[in-house]
Structure formats: C-alpha cells, structure tokens
C-alpha cells in the first residue's frame, strides 16, 4: 500500500532507549514504504514528503498490550463496580450489535488511541456473533483508520458463570444473566484458522490467539489454542488471576493442578515464550518464577485493576523475578481511557508506594515496557517499539511547546509523569501519516462524532433495559464480592483500612 511512500521527519529529538533518554539527540528519520530506513543528521529528502519536527520530540509509537474494542461506547457509564458485577452490564452491551455500531465502536477506540500516541493495540475482542461478516467490519475499520492491530477474537467453551466463585449456588435466573451456555470448541478454532487465511497478517494487521481465561476453557480448548499458536507462530493472550475470586477458584477447582492456573496451562501446552497472561494481580511468587523461567510474559493493567476493585499486582516481585512485562489499558468501561501515559505513570507510582527503598522503576524502564515489552508480547520484537532502521515506521511526534515541557528537563520523565497526550501533534503508523497537526487524516472525525451521537440514542435505551433486567442480581453479586475477600490466601495485594 505504501510501497513508494517516502517521508523525512526533519530535525526532531529522536528518542533512543539506549541513548540520552533525558535530552535525545536531534536527527532526521527517513521512511520508505512502511519502514524506517535511516536515522541520522541531514538525510537526503529528495522526492520525500517533509514532516517538520523541529522543537518536537519523536518517540516510538506506544503499544497497548491489552484492550477490548467491544465496549468503547460504555465509556463513563460505570463507577464503583467490581469486575464480577461489571460483567453483568458490559457483556450484553457488547454482543449482537448492529454492523454500524460495530464499525463505529471500533473506530471510536482506534481514534482515541491514535490521539493518545498509541500506534498498535492488542484487541482481545469479545465478538458476538463470532462470524465472518462481523470480523470483516472490524478488520476493515482498523485498516481504514490505519491503526496497527494485533487482533484476537476471544474463544472459550466454559460458560461465563465460571468467572464468579460459587456461581453455581446462585439462583438459576441470576446464573442465566451471567451466562450458562458454553460454545462449541471446534467451531471457534476452525473460525480462527479460517480468518488467519482470509485476512493474511500483512501491513498493519497481526493475529493472536486468545482463550478468554483458563477457567473458561476445558483442556481440549486450551490444547486447541496451543496448537493454533504453534502452527501459525502466533502469540497467546489470556486473562489470569484478575481478581481475588479467581485465585480462590484456582485453589478450589484446580486442586489437581496444584491449585494453579499456571500449572493447568502448562499441562495443556500453553506455558512458553508465546504466552502472555493479562492482569496477574493474584499470582503467587512461585508462579511468577515459573513464568520467568518459561519466558512467558505478564501484561499489567493497573488502571482497570484499581477501578474494578481487583487489587494491586505485585510489580516488585515481578521485577525481581525478571519476568517479561507489558502494559495495557484494558476496557473503555473498565478504566475509561486508552492512555499508555496513564498506565506508565501508574506502574512507576505503584512500585514507589509498595517499596520504601530507593530503586523503584524509572521512567526510562517503563517506556521500554510500553514499547519494546509490548512488542515482544505480540511477537513483533525487532519490528516495532524503537526508532531504528529496519523497524516499522510507527512514530509519535510531540510538541515541546506544550506546557508539559515548560521547562523541559527530561524527555523520559516528562513523557511518563507529565504528558497526557495533549502534546501529540502527529502520528505515523506503518509509514502512513494518520494524524497531522492534531487531526486524524484517515477518517472524518466529525462525521464519526455525528454517527456515534445517533447510535447512542438506541444504545442508551438498550443499556437502561439491561440495567433494569439485572437489578435482581445485584444483592447476590455484592455478597459474592464480599465473600471473595474473606478467606486468607496468604498474599497481600491491597491496602485496606485498618479495622
Ligand atoms: Zn481484558
């Protein structure tokens, strides 16, 4: 698509993970097609489009290693909802929607991502129905707006009620609200394999395999996912130990696997360098060590873990164990923003309050997690995450005139602690200038706004009906959440009030 494309990003300070992270050197960047071909002073700009980056900071495109596009229209709808209740509302609002809404919601999340300097998202999509025409809508929306995507429609065969501890003791109608129907394994795996062929991973489209969560999959499903990952050389993402309830589910229901979801995945062929487990708030230290030894990764999502009352992931243990780390922003209704800046800042701040000793992670470290670490999670190491020749041209150009840089003392620290996304001026993805002078160039933003406004009328009506129909479940969910905190699980992950 961009075979003949030639761009020179002229005169910016080019962020180099291995260089001066506080005052990066000024250089030009030559882009041909979708690749960076040279970085250095005074590059030949003959026949090239010039992007003036003087008094700009040029950073590698940020990567969001955990995201779901199915609930972008729910942004700002919820507060004070622990994960188990939140599923009551978000699952139905993401399923069986019109093709217009499917397209619009994909673009809404992608538009926000680009405006916030994200050039690649790992979209672990809850696609219902899981069919070709819906897949086409999503893939085409990403292509249209130009956001790089590591796409993984989620698969599972154990019904959603398995997310709630002691879910089978709830009244039958409450169980039905959460979901009591499984899905056939073969249909889903065949669907995935067929999509990998129909939409080959080229340009800005990449694939991953995403079993929803180990406790939502039988051994046969996990083995099928492991086979697909192996056969097509694809990364795997799955939700593990997001809540304390999930730790207890592992202890209770997976006793034959040492009470460990890591052992359960290991025995079904998933524990290895392609595996990424998302959240890991309630993972034990021995399990972290096993993950590190297997070169498996953890994708942290502090912001949604806080907002959904899941707890605090043991970042210091993870750093000490040397497990590879990535960062995500999770659902638009779970922390309400696609901002890797916020995720990076939360990472550094948590480590600072968890450990009174000096040596908390530095801004330059978390910048590596959000770029190189997230690229590694997707198997795209050496392709995205750094501004060096041979990498894809995924760049974010930040205006140093923004007050976040007044005065300008450190690129790394001010990116992590100060930048909100407001300074982002232009974004290049795969050699395509998708945002220029604060406007996305690939779609009509105003038209999308008008379209979403129209869609929301219907969406809100449906949402109100869902809320009304779920009212009976609430007391049970409150009780389930409270009980989840009662048993001692031998780990501290939450700063609670003293009683
Ligand atoms: Zn998730």
């Amino acid at each position: 698509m961009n075979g003949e494309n030639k761009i020179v990003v002229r005169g910016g300070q080019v962020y180099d993970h291995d260089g001066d992270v506080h005052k990066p050197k000024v250089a030009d960047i030559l882009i041909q097609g979708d690749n960076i071909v040279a970085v250095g002073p005074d590059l030949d700009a003959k026949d090239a489009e010039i992007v003036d980056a003087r008094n700009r900071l040029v950073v590698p495109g940020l990567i969001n290693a955990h995201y779901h596009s199915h609930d972008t229209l729910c942004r700002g709808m919820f507060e004070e909802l622990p994960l188990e209740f939140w599923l009551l509302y978000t699952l139905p609002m993401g399923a069986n929607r019109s093709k217009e809404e499917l397209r619009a919601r994909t673009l809404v999340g992608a538009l926000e991502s680009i405006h916030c300097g994200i050039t690649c998202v790992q979209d672990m999509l809850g696609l219902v129905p899981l069919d070709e025409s819906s897949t086409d809508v999503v893939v085409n929306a990403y292509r249209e707006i130009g956001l790089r995507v590591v796409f993984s429609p989620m698969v599972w065969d154990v019904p959603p009620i398995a997310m709630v501890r002691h879910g089978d003791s709830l009244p039958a109608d409450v169980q039905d609200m959460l979901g009591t129907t499984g899905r056939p394994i073969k249909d889903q795996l065949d669907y995935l394999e067929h999509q990998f062929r129909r939409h080959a991973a080229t340009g800005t489209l990449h694939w991953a395999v995403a079993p929803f969560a180990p406790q939502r999959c039988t051994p046969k499903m996990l083995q099928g996912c492991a086979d697909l990952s192996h056969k097509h050389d694809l990364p795997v993402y799955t939700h593990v130990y997001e809540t304390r309830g999930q730790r207890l589910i592992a202890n209770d229901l997976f006793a034959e696997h040492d009470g460990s979801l890591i052992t359960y995945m290991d025995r079904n062929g998933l524990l290895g360098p392609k595996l990424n487990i998302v959240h890991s708030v309630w993972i034990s230290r021995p399990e972290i060590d096993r993950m590190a030894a297997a070169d498996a990764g953890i994708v942290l999502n502090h912001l949604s873990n806080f907002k959904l009352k899941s707890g605090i992931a043991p970042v210091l243990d993870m750093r000490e164990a040397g497990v590879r780390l990535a960062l995500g922003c999770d659902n638009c209704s779970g922390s309400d923003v696609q901002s890797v800046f916020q995720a990076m800042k939360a990472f550094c701040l948590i480590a600072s309050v968890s450990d009174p000793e000096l040596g908390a992670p530095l801004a330059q470290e978390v910048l590596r997690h959000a770029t190189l670490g997230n690229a590694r999670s997707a198997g795209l190491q050496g392709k995205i995450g750094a501004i060096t020749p041979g990498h894809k041209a995924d760049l974010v150009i930040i205006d140093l005139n923004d007050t976040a840089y007044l005065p300008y003392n450190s690129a790394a620290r001010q990116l992590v602690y100060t930048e909100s996304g407001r300074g982002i001026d232009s974004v290049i993805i795969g050699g395509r200038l998708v945002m220029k002078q604060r406007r996305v160039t690939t779609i009509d933003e105003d038209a999308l706004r008008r379209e979403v406004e129209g869609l929301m009328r219907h969406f809100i009506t449906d949402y109100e009906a869902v809320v009304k129909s779920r009212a009976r479940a609430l007391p049970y969910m409150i009780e389930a959440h409270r009980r989840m905190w009662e048993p001692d699980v031998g780990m501290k992950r939450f700063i609670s009030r003293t009683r």
Side-chain angles (χ1 to χ4, degrees), residues 391-448:
H391 277 65
K392 297 292 166 200
D394 290 7
L395 309 173
V396 177
I397 301 172
I398 295 177
D399 184 359
L400 292 170
N401 291 312
D402 188 87
T403 51
Y405 306 93
L406 181 66
Y408 175 45
N409 293 312
S410 163
R413 292 181 194 138
Q414 283 166 273
L415 282 169
V416 170
Y417 291 108
T418 320
E419 180 59 72
S420 60
R422 192 183 56 208
I424 294 169
D425 177 272
S426 302
V427 177
I428 298 172
I429 303 176
R432 188 176 177 200
L433 196 56
V434 298
M435 187 164 104
K436 192 175 181 181
Q437 293 169 349
R438 295 183 161 79
R439 289 292 290 183
V440 166
T441 60
T442 46
I443 64 160
D444 182 339
E445 288 190 35
D446 294 333
L448 180 64

Side-chain angles (χ1 to χ4, degrees), residues 66-68 70 83 86 124 154 212 238-239 242 278-279 301 304 330-331:
H66 188 60
Y67 166 67
H68 305 274
H70 51 245
L83 181 101
W86 168 77
M124 203 165 165
M154 288 189 286
F212 186 105
T238 188
H239 297 101
E242 179 168 0
V278 180
H279 299 298
N301 294 268
S304 65
D330 212 351
N331 301 67

Side-chain angles (χ1 to χ4, degrees), residues 159-335:
I161 186 71
M163 297 291 284
V164 180
R165 182 168 171 251
H166 298 156
D168 53 3
S169 63
L170 295 168
D173 62 330
V174 174
Q175 288 191 44
D176 286 342
M177 288 176 197
L178 285 153
T180 49
T181 312
R183 293 203 301 205
I185 298 171
K186 190 172 182 301
D187 290 2
Q188 296 176 79
L189 297 176
D190 287 351
Y191 153 83
L192 282 181
E193 188 149 34
H194 193 49
Q195 303 321 303
F196 300 159
R197 295 213 172 87
R198 286 179 68 234
H199 294 287
T202 53
T204 50
L205 175 68
H206 312 269
W207 289 100
V209 181
F212 186 105
Q215 73 276 20
R216 294 283 309 280
C217 296
T218 57
K220 201 174 162 205
M221 179 57 118
L222 291 185
Q223 288 159 20
C225 288
D227 289 347
L228 272 184
S229 156
H230 183 70
K231 186 174 168 190
H232 296 274
D233 192 22
L234 295 176
V236 176
Y237 294 85
T238 188
H239 297 101
V240 178
Y241 297 137
E242 179 168 0
T243 64
R244 208 168 186 276
Q246 291 170 21
R247 171 85 256 170
L248 293 166
I249 287 170
N251 295 353
D252 297 346
L253 304 182
F254 291 80
E256 64 185 294
H257 301 287
D258 316 324
S260 168
L261 296 174
I262 305 300
T263 301
Y264 179 53
M265 287 190 290
D266 190 11
R267 289 180 180 165
N268 289 292
L270 277 173
L271 182 62
K274 289 190 166 45
L275 178 68
N276 301 282
I277 63 170
V278 180
H279 299 298
S280 304
V281 177
W282 294 94
I283 191 169
S284 71
R285 178 58 197 259
E287 289 173 319
I288 296 172
D289 291 335
R290 287 180 68 192
M291 292 284 295
D295 191 24
I298 293 175
V299 185
L300 296 163
N301 294 268
H302 294 304
L303 297 167
S304 65
N305 296 156
F306 295 165
K307 188 157 177 278
L308 300 175
K309 298 188 182 294
S310 300
I312 297 174
V315 173
L316 297 174
D317 279 343
M318 291 172 184
R319 290 181 78 233
E320 196 178 79
V323 67
R324 61 179 175 81
L325 295 178
L327 293 180
C329 304
D330 212 351
N331 301 67
C332 279
S333 69
S335 70

